[in-house]
Structure formats: structure tokens, C-alpha cells
Amino acid sequence: MAQESDAEGTMLRWVDILAQLQAGVEGWRYRSFAQAVRELGIMLPPAPWPGDREHWAPGRCFAAATDYAEATDATYVEGFVLVPGLTAWPVFEHAWCLRDGAVANPSLPDGSAALYFGIPLAADYRRSEQARRGTHAVLTTDPQNPWPLVNEDALRHGLPATAVLPRAAAGGTVART
């Protein structure tokens, strides 16, 4: 087994802590967004911004990732990002895109993120859930529109098989337990 990197270890420790902050109840498929990411997500290294679109301001990642996915046909991803410079809370919920197998992050400057861990979502599922929920966030809470909170339907019942892109198609690595 390959040795776990410092970034991967930090990411997994934080996601495991966040998974304990449960939104759901006994019997739900996922008791938290973090648990869903832990089971379905892939780890991805940072990549330089492709420069084909303008960056958005930090704090608007869900809208920025949606806009970028729509404009470029990139894959929208929701999960967590590790930003080591944020010492009090270095791992937080985030959205970004995958383009040609590499991270395209429209809302964080190059060099700020050390690692991404998220669920690549099919465009049809993303669009339908965003419309149904009335927010850019598909699975978690969008700080720009905090109501509704997490996607209770997805946590309670799980994601449809067609909602999550196959790991082989998305690239990245599967997190070790």
C-alpha cells in the first residue's frame, strides 16, 4: 500500500470529524454530507486554473462551479478542499469542476488548495437537484442561499446510480479507509 501523504491524512482526519456532525438519523443512507463524500468521493490534486474564464470571488464556489460547468461542459464536483493556510479550519465544504481529468477551481486562487476530495456529479442530476432545491449547492448547504440546508433526500435515500460519475471517468484516487 502506498504511503498516505500529509495532505491526504489531514483531509481524511477532518472529513472523519465532520462526518460525526450528523444531519440525518438512524436508518438514513448517509448521516452527513461528509459521510457521503467519504464513501463516494475521489481525491484530486490541485491544478493550475485553465484561464479560459474569469475567476469568481471566494465564498461563491457553488455558483462559480455551476457557471463554469455550464459554460465549458466541465464536470461539477461537491466535496471538501484542504487549504493549509487556514490553520483554524483548513478543510471546508467546496465546489469545483473537473475538466480533462484535472481540477478547475473557479473560486480559489492557484496555489491555495493542497487537495480536493469530492463527488463528481452528472450534469442532469446536478441541474435537476439545483432546480428542485432552489440553490446552486446540490448536496450540501450553499452559504449564498443557506435554506435549504443539506440535501435530505440524497442523505436519506442515497444518490441515484446515474448521479455520480464513475471514478474511472472522473480520475483521481479513492480515499483509503
Side-chain angles (χ1 to χ4, degrees), residues 47-173:
W49 177 243
D52 55 350
R53 308 261 307 160
E54 292 295 318
H55 262 96
W56 284 49
R60 307 225 26 233
C61 65
F62 300 101
T66 298
D67 179 63
Y68 189 77
E70 288 295 327
T72 65
D73 209 26
T75 299
Y76 176 95
V77 183
E78 268 186 33
F80 295 93
V81 63
L82 169 61
V83 179
L86 301 176
T87 56
W89 202 270
V91 172
F92 54 90
E93 294 175 358
H94 192 60
W96 63 93
C97 291
L98 282 174
R99 188 151 182 218
D100 300 325
V103 169
N105 189 343
S107 63
L108 285 179
D110 282 354
S112 60
L115 189 64
Y116 296 85
F117 187 22
I119 304 170
L121 298 170
D124 289 343
Y125 179 76
R126 173 186 53 82
R127 288 183 192 112
S128 68
E129 287 300 292
Q130 288 172 328
R132 183 183 70 78
R133 298 182 72 224
T135 181
H136 287 106
V138 175
L139 302 172
T140 191
T141 305
D142 182 348
Q144 297 299 309
N145 180 11
W147 304 105
L149 297 173
V150 296
N151 186 332
E152 287 189 14
D153 287 344
L155 293 182
R156 181 179 288 121
H157 305 293
L159 280 69
T162 58
V164 180
L165 292 181
R167 288 179 170 140
T173 60

